[in-house]
Amino acid sequence: MKNNTQYKIQTSVIAWCCITLLMAALLHSNKASATIINSTFENGFTGWQGQVDIFDGVSEVFFVDVDNIADFPNSFKRNTNGVTLTTAIEDINEVFGVYLFQPFTASSTAESLSLSFNASADFFQVALFDASLNLLHDFNLHGLIADLTRYRNQVLFLEFAVGDEDFILGDTLSVSDIQIKSTSVSEPTTLFISLLALMAMFVFQLTRRSRQLSLVEPLNA
């Protein structure tokens, strides 16, 4: 009876070790991730930063930081799964340039960033920059998919801009379907933990099999 109890305790310990190691592997594999916050704009403009160019009737002021995007409802609007930027009148000011951007870190498994856009404007830009504001990818000139494999673990900036050049406001830029694609390759530590879990399971099966054989042999004697 004592041997059976010890066997049950041993097998329980080994089983729980297997489960713990597998859970650790899963948790670690999900740890390294980075993405754009609020890419669908379902939460308003959370995670995004805005700037505007303004003519107040006397002078032009460029790249004015927008502390509250809601203060410029005609210039920043959410649409289906995206956003629309428009040069427009805000109170007594003419907003002739509208900018929206977000910094993010490309994860170690990042593959690409894709999006869709539609523009009717004198000037517009949908682009990806590095932390030094060097242009990495122009989605209008280089295609709708940007390769992120060369910029993994780097801080990048995704920027949208629309501007007026003919003194007729109403220029628009709509961007939607912003997505980052990543690979699901396990990191070395995750692989190591997974191997430990598999080894523990193998030992558990051998121990269980040996115990079963030891119980059967006396019956056959």
Side-chain angles (χ1 to χ4, degrees), residues 51-69:
Q51 291 182 331
V52 291
D53 299 331
I54 294 176
F55 177 65
D56 60 8
V58 178
S59 58
E60 296 178 344
V61 184
F62 295 88
F63 306 114
V64 178
D65 290 329
V66 177
D67 295 327
N68 185 7
I69 292 179

Side-chain angles (χ1 to χ4, degrees), residues 106-183:
S107 73
S108 59
T109 59
E111 285 289 323
S112 63
L113 190 159
S114 62
L115 51 76
S116 300
F117 73 86
N118 183 47
S120 177
D122 297 333
F123 166 81
F124 74 91
Q125 185 175 53
V126 181
L128 188 67
F129 296 86
D130 64 16
S132 300
L133 299 184
N134 296 308
L135 178 62
L136 303 179
H137 187 92
D138 187 318
F139 289 87
N140 185 40
L141 299 177
H142 306 142
L144 298 178
I145 302 176
D147 182 9
L148 298 182
T149 57
R150 293 176 293 173
Y151 313 115
R152 288 173 174 172
N153 301 314
Q154 296 184 35
V155 175
L156 306 177
F157 285 81
L158 180 61
E159 185 205 41
F160 316 137
V162 65
D164 172 63
E165 295 178 347
D166 61 4
F167 304 101
I168 301 175
L169 301 179
D171 308 89
T172 62
L173 167 65
S174 296
V175 183
S176 60
D177 302 319
I178 304 168
Q179 296 181 342
I180 289 182
K181 180 181 178 182
S182 299
T183 58

Side-chain angles (χ1 to χ4, degrees), residues 82-101:
V83 64
T84 296
L85 308 182
T86 306
T87 58
I89 299 293
E90 299 284 5
D91 293 330
I92 61 173
N93 299 315
E94 294 183 12
V95 178
F96 62 92
V98 186
Y99 311 87
L100 190 67
F101 58 93

